[in-house]
């Protein structure tokens, strides 16, 4: 090297080069720590997403079965409503009377 600098340090002074090197090492370690934290966080997010998808799938199955049950009940109500109006009125009166007695019994026990 032609300008009088020693051949081993390529023109950098020892003190300046080591300061930059130490700062680079510190920043590299900081970056490594942050990348590790982001990696573990992304793994936890992936696990949580899998659990949430499983729960949503189970809820979907539950809603499907409930929809089938509700459809069957509505079908029975249609059949009941097609019958004579006297039968329907009788069933409704018996149900209302039953509810009245249940409420009366609950209030009486207090």
């Amino acid at each position: 090297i032609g300008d009088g600098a020693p051949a081993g340090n390529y023109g950098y002074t020892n003190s300046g080069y080591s300061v930059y090197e130490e700062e680079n090492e510190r920043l590299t370690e900081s970056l490594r720590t942050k990348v590790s934290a982001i990696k573990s966080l992304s793994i936890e997010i992936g696990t949580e997403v899998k659990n949430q998808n499983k729960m949503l799938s189970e809820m979907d199955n539950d809603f499907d079965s409930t929809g089938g049950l509700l459809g069957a009940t509505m079908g029975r109500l249609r059949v009941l409503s097609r019958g004579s109006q006297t039968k329907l009125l009788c069933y409704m009166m018996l149900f209302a009377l039953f509810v009245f007695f249940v409420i009366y019994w609950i209030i009486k026990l207090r």
Side-chain angles (χ1 to χ4, degrees):
I1 315 238
D3 54 353
N9 61 7
Y10 300 104
Y12 296 110
T13 60
N14 284 339
S15 63
Y17 181 71
S18 65
V19 168
Y20 289 128
E21 187 176 350
E22 288 173 9
E23 184 178 354
N24 281 341
E25 289 297 324
R26 183 181 54 81
L27 290 173
T28 303
E29 187 60 35
S30 173
L31 186 61
R32 186 176 293 122
T33 303
K34 290 177 184 176
V35 167
S36 175
I38 289 172
K39 178 183 176 184
S40 65
L41 185 62
S42 66
I43 290 172
E44 289 176 13
I45 288 172
T47 304
E48 185 66 25
V49 165
K50 287 178 186 175
N51 290 337
Q52 294 292 327
N53 282 338
K54 181 181 175 185
M55 188 169 55
L56 283 174
S57 176
E58 290 171 359
M59 284 179 60
D60 188 38
N61 292 337
D62 290 343
F63 280 125
D64 284 344
S65 65
T66 303
L69 181 65
L70 185 59
T73 303
M74 291 303 292
R76 289 186 198 121
L77 280 175
R78 274 191 221 106
V79 169
L80 184 63
S81 68
R82 286 184 196 147
S84 68
Q85 295 298 325
T86 309
K87 262 188 179 179
L88 181 62
L89 186 58
C90 182
Y91 287 139
M92 288 176 64
M93 291 297 284
L94 286 173
F95 179 73
L97 192 62
F98 174 75
V99 170
F100 174 76
F101 280 120
V102 168
I103 291 174
Y104 176 76
W105 181 68
I106 289 173
I107 291 173
K108 189 75 168 173
L109 287 178
R110 283 187 175 190

